[in-house]
């Protein structure tokens, strides 16, 4: 069996051995050069890898092998003229958080309320700046016109999550454009100034400062009717348990960004007739915004032939940094190593792990951080 047929057989075996859960397969270029090129320290030129003929056997087989080695030598020269290009690891961008605070402007002429609310808003902004995120703070809004201007700023910022700080009552018309135009999930937070209000001395103005929860039902109802995903966190300004819940949402935001900017690869197909777990090539980008590249087995074969030892070592090291590799993984298998002679047929076979007879389906996996690409 020649090398191309052996590689194709190995790929089909790998496809049938993989999980039946259809997804996407990111093609990590973790492939060592073909055996015709030899390993480190070998030229790989003119080598005759076929077994010696038995006494009296015709020598045409050895001539054919020599001809195959000449073709491999020509392929080596073409490969050196066209070195493989391995995609470098893509740096991860920081999480982008949009922050807007607000209250109803009709209150400002009536009550000395605005300075206290802006002080709370400044504290919230300072807490967000401490987080591992890129924060776009559009300030304090008091009416629908300012809300529309803030919406445009946040739309241009391409945020992964928008945090809406309700300092007191405001109308839902002030914040609906912010959520609509950004096409971004919203976290609504209402954090009153202190743990409790001074009920013995409060007046209407002081009560309004503790009224951040008042617009939450109104805003939530409008967001639901508009089909806008949102969550809310209530508490008081320096309540650490509330901030821990907020930080959980901030830590979750990068995963949406990773899926939105990801490149997926799809190779192979399911077992014929297995319709319940097939990958929908339209639904995936429609839901997450990511890109799918369909890769044929012949494409992979050509890429295998152009990968050098140095590129293989670099990709293998990168994979070990990105993924947790089990101790049972053999290094040669991990790098798609040189084929070794089969004890049953005398032909070449790849050093792949033995497939399980109980699994079938297309080879599928996904990578969303941009570190490896098809």
């Amino acid at each position: 069996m020649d090398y191309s047929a052996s590689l194709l057989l190995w790929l089909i075996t790998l496809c049938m051995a993989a999980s039946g859960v259809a997804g996407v397969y990111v093609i990590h270029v973790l492939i060592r050069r073909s055996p015709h090129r030899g390993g480190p320290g070998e030229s790989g030129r003119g080598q005759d890898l076929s077994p010696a003929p038995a006494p009296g056997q015709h020598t045409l087989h050895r001539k054919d092998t020599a001809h195959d080695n000449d073709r491999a030598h020509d392929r080596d020269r073409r490969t050196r003229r066209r070195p493989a290009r391995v995609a470098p690891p893509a740096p991860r961008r920081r999480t982008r958080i949009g922050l807007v605070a607000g209250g109803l402007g009709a209150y400002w002429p009536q009550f000395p309320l605005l300075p206290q609310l802006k002080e709370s808003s400044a504290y919230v902004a300072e807490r967000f700046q401490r987080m591992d995120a890129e924060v776009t703070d559009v300030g304090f809004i008091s009416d629908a016109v300012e809300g529309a201007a803030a919406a445009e700023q946040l739309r241009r910022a391409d945020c992964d999550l928008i945090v809406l700080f309700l300092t007191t009552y405001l109308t839902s018309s002030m914040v609906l454009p912010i959520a609509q135009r950004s096409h971004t999930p919203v976290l609504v937070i209402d954090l009153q100034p202190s743990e409790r209000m001074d009920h013995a001395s409060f007046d209407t103005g002081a009560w309004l400062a503790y009224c951040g929860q008042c617009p939450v039902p109104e805003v939530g109802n409008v967001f639901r009717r508009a089909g806008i995903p949102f969550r809310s966190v209530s508490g008081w300004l320096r309540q650490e348990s509330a901030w821990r819940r907020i930080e959980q949402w901030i830590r979750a935001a990068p995963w949406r960004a990773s899926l939105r900017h990801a490149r997926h690869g799809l190779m192979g197909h399911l077992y014929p007739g297995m319709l319940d777990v097939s990958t929908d090539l339209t639904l995936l980008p429609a839901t997450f915004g990511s890109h799918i590249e369909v890769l044929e087995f012949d494409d992979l074969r050509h890429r295998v032939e152009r990968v050098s030892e140095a590129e293989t070592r670099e990709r293998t090291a990168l994979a070990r940094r990105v993924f947790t590799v089990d101790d049972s993984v053999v290094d040669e298998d991990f790098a798609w190593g040189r084929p070794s002679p089969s004890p049953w047929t005398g032909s070449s076979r790849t050093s792949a792990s033995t497939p399980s007879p109980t699994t079938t389906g297309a080879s599928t996996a996904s990578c969303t951080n941009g570190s490896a690409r098809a």
Side-chain angles (χ1 to χ4, degrees):
M1 182 181 300
D2 61 20
Y3 177 67
S4 299
S6 175
L7 175 62
L8 181 59
L9 178 61
W10 183 87
L11 288 172
I12 294 174
T13 303
L14 175 63
C15 178
M16 296 299 294
S19 168
V21 178
V24 285
Y25 181 64
V26 170
I27 307 301
H28 293 285
V29 188
L30 304 174
I31 309 167
R32 298 178 63 181
R33 65 178 69 178
S34 72
H36 297 294
R37 301 183 215 176
E42 299 176 5
S43 65
R45 300 177 184 176
Q47 294 180 353
D48 187 357
L49 302 179
S50 62
Q57 181 179 348
H58 201 276
T59 58
L60 178 61
H61 172 72
R62 295 188 62 81
K63 292 180 181 179
D64 290 342
T65 302
H67 177 66
D68 290 341
N69 283 325
D70 289 340
R71 289 194 303 175
H73 175 53
D74 292 339
R75 185 173 66 243
D76 277 351
R77 288 186 297 178
R78 292 195 302 270
T79 301
R80 286 196 298 271
R81 288 195 299 268
R82 297 179 302 165
R85 293 179 297 174
V86 179
R92 299 189 182 206
R93 71 173 181 83
R94 299 180 69 195
T95 305
R96 295 174 182 170
I97 303 299
L99 177 62
V100 56
L104 186 61
Y107 295 145
W108 313 153
Q110 303 178 58
F111 309 102
L113 181 64
L114 187 57
Q116 181 182 8
L117 300 184
K118 286 191 172 183
E119 182 179 344
S120 297
S121 175
Y123 175 80
V124 169
E126 190 270 333
R127 287 291 298 254
F128 275 100
Q129 293 292 348
R130 298 185 208 169
M131 301 179 187
D132 185 19
E134 178 183 326
V135 181
T136 300
D137 184 3
V138 297
F140 199 98
I141 62 172
S142 299
D143 53 38
V145 175
E146 294 179 357
E152 285 301 307
Q153 286 183 261
L154 294 175
R155 180 186 62 82
R156 291 192 297 268
D158 188 26
C159 298
D160 304 316
L161 178 69
I162 289 179
V163 179
L164 177 59
F165 177 31
L166 307 181
T167 63
T168 186
Y169 176 77
L170 48 69
T171 62
S172 53
S173 65
M174 295 170 55
V175 297
L176 180 59
I178 295 173
Q180 283 180 317
R181 299 180 190 181
S182 63
H183 300 287
T184 302
V186 178
L187 177 64
V188 177
I189 62 174
D190 58 279
L191 305 175
Q192 63 189 35
S194 61
E195 187 173 5
R196 61 180 58 87
M197 185 172 59
D198 186 358
H199 293 273
S201 61
F202 81 95
D203 55 16
T204 302
W207 174 79
L208 285 172
Y210 285 78
C211 198
Q213 291 185 358
C214 295
V216 173
E218 176 185 341
V219 170
N221 178 273
V222 170
F223 282 178
R224 285 189 179 276
R225 293 174 64 183
I228 297 169
F230 76 99
R231 292 293 187 271
S232 64
V233 175
S234 299
W236 55 285
L237 200 58
R238 289 170 171 77
Q239 183 182 352
E240 291 304 318
S241 60
W243 279 105
R244 283 194 294 272
R245 295 197 301 272
I246 293 171
E247 289 170 355
Q248 288 176 350
W249 289 110
I250 301 302
R251 288 196 298 269
W255 298 107
R256 177 180 180 271
S258 296
L259 289 170
R260 201 155 50 111
H261 296 279
R263 283 173 52 85
H264 305 288
L266 177 64
M267 185 179 71
H269 58 82
L270 298 171
Y271 184 80
M274 187 182 291
L275 303 179
D276 62 324
V277 290
S278 59
T279 298
D280 189 329
L281 300 184
T282 301
L283 185 61
L284 191 66
T287 302
F288 298 115
S290 48
H291 171 74
I292 298 181
E293 189 75 20
V294 177
L295 188 71
E296 300 294 341
F297 284 113
D298 283 344
D299 296 333
L300 180 61
R301 177 173 60 83
H302 287 295
R303 297 185 187 201
V304 168
E305 295 172 349
R306 297 176 58 187
V307 175
S308 68
E309 293 282 353
E311 290 166 338
T312 299
R313 290 192 297 270
E314 190 274 333
R315 289 286 105 171
T316 303
L318 174 63
R320 290 189 179 278
R321 291 197 303 269
V322 174
F323 302 102
T324 299
V325 181
D326 191 79
D327 294 338
S328 64
V329 175
V330 179
D331 289 342
E332 187 176 12
D333 294 345
F334 192 47
W336 287 15
R338 292 167 57 101
S340 57
S342 169
W344 299 280
T345 64
S347 60
S348 295
R349 63 180 180 87
T350 55
S351 308
S353 300
T354 303
S356 169
T358 61
T359 59
T360 183
S363 298
T364 58
S366 65
C367 177
T368 60
N369 60 14
S371 298
R373 301 174 182 171

